Amino acid sequence: LGAAAVDQTGGGVRVVRVLPDSPASRAGLRVDDVIVRIKGQPIRNSRDYSDAVDASNRQMEITIRDGRTGQVRTMMVQLRY
């Protein structure tokens, strides 16, 4: 995916790093976004995040809470293998 994240108080994981030219970067994921769902499953902590990314194949739907506006949005991330 190309994004490092840490546990966020209240649930989800906060993105702390997005690698350049990564699937996360190409999809528009940014530092301070909070990932709350991946492929419809709630992301409560960094363990959930890691498990969801590991289980993903070529594409995943991610729901985030924008770190700047607080708006919730969904994005599709295309993984390359």
Side-chain angles (χ1 to χ4, degrees):
L1 181 62
V6 297
D7 291 352
Q8 173 72 22
T9 303
V13 292
R14 183 174 51 86
V15 176
V16 294
R17 183 172 177 212
V18 178
L19 296 176
D21 198 35
S22 65
S25 173
R26 287 189 299 278
L29 197 62
R30 297 177 292 188
V31 170
D32 289 332
D33 285 343
V34 178
I35 299 171
V36 294
R37 297 181 90 71
I38 295 179
K39 295 180 93 173
Q41 298 301 310
I43 302 299
R44 297 176 298 265
N45 53 45
S46 55
R47 173 68 169 219
D48 287 350
Y49 171 68
S50 179
D51 289 348
V53 171
D54 289 346
S56 293
N57 48 22
R58 299 185 87 35
Q59 181 173 304
M60 70 172 97
E61 182 180 84
I62 297 178
T63 303
I64 67 160
R65 186 171 55 249
D66 189 291
R68 287 146 302 285
T69 66
Q71 292 180 325
V72 175
R73 61 187 166 101
T74 299
M75 61 179 60
M76 294 302 291
V77 179
Q78 189 71 36
L79 305 176
R80 285 194 265 178
Y81 288 104

